[in-house]
Amino acid sequence: MADYPIVETGRDVTRQVLSDHPDLMVVAFRFARSGAIGPLHDHVHVQSTYVESGRFRFTLGTEEREVGPGDSFVVPSGQTHGCICLVPGTLIDGFTPRRDDFL
């Protein structure tokens, strides 16, 4: 098991790779306060997101969706997405293939 660093990705937001393989990567994104932002972006990777804790308003393409503990969804390759934290918490994201830019 590898030890991965905690990386600041924005104000009150961190990410930590939990596990990786060339075909798959699991990452925890932790939001420390309401109002923290996961900025809009897109990537070639297919992403699955599981809400471990907290509450978030996601933009997925042209749709907005509010999610909380136990919710999950998939972001297709190339879809613009991002979120605003409503209640501090943690998102667990899976990426395929692995996000080499996170290593």
Side-chain angles (χ1 to χ4, degrees), residues 32-89:
R33 69 170 175 84
S34 298
I37 296 173
L40 288 173
H41 65 287
D42 62 73
H43 42 72
V44 300
H45 311 83
V46 175
Q47 172 182 328
S48 67
T49 296
Y50 170 76
V51 183
E52 180 180 88
S53 61
R55 191 146 200 86
F56 300 86
R57 183 171 42 253
F58 267 85
T59 299
L60 302 165
T62 59
E63 176 188 347
E64 281 199 354
R65 170 185 313 183
E66 193 171 310
V67 294
D71 290 336
S72 65
F73 55 90
V74 171
V75 180
S77 174
Q79 184 177 60
T80 300
H81 59 285
C83 69
I84 296 174
C85 177
L86 303 175
V87 175

Side-chain angles (χ1 to χ4, degrees), residues 2-18:
D3 289 322
Y4 298 98
I6 296 172
V7 177
E8 290 187 32
T9 61
R11 186 171 175 211
D12 296 314
V13 182
T14 62
R15 80 165 180 254
Q16 183 177 28
V17 172
L18 301 177

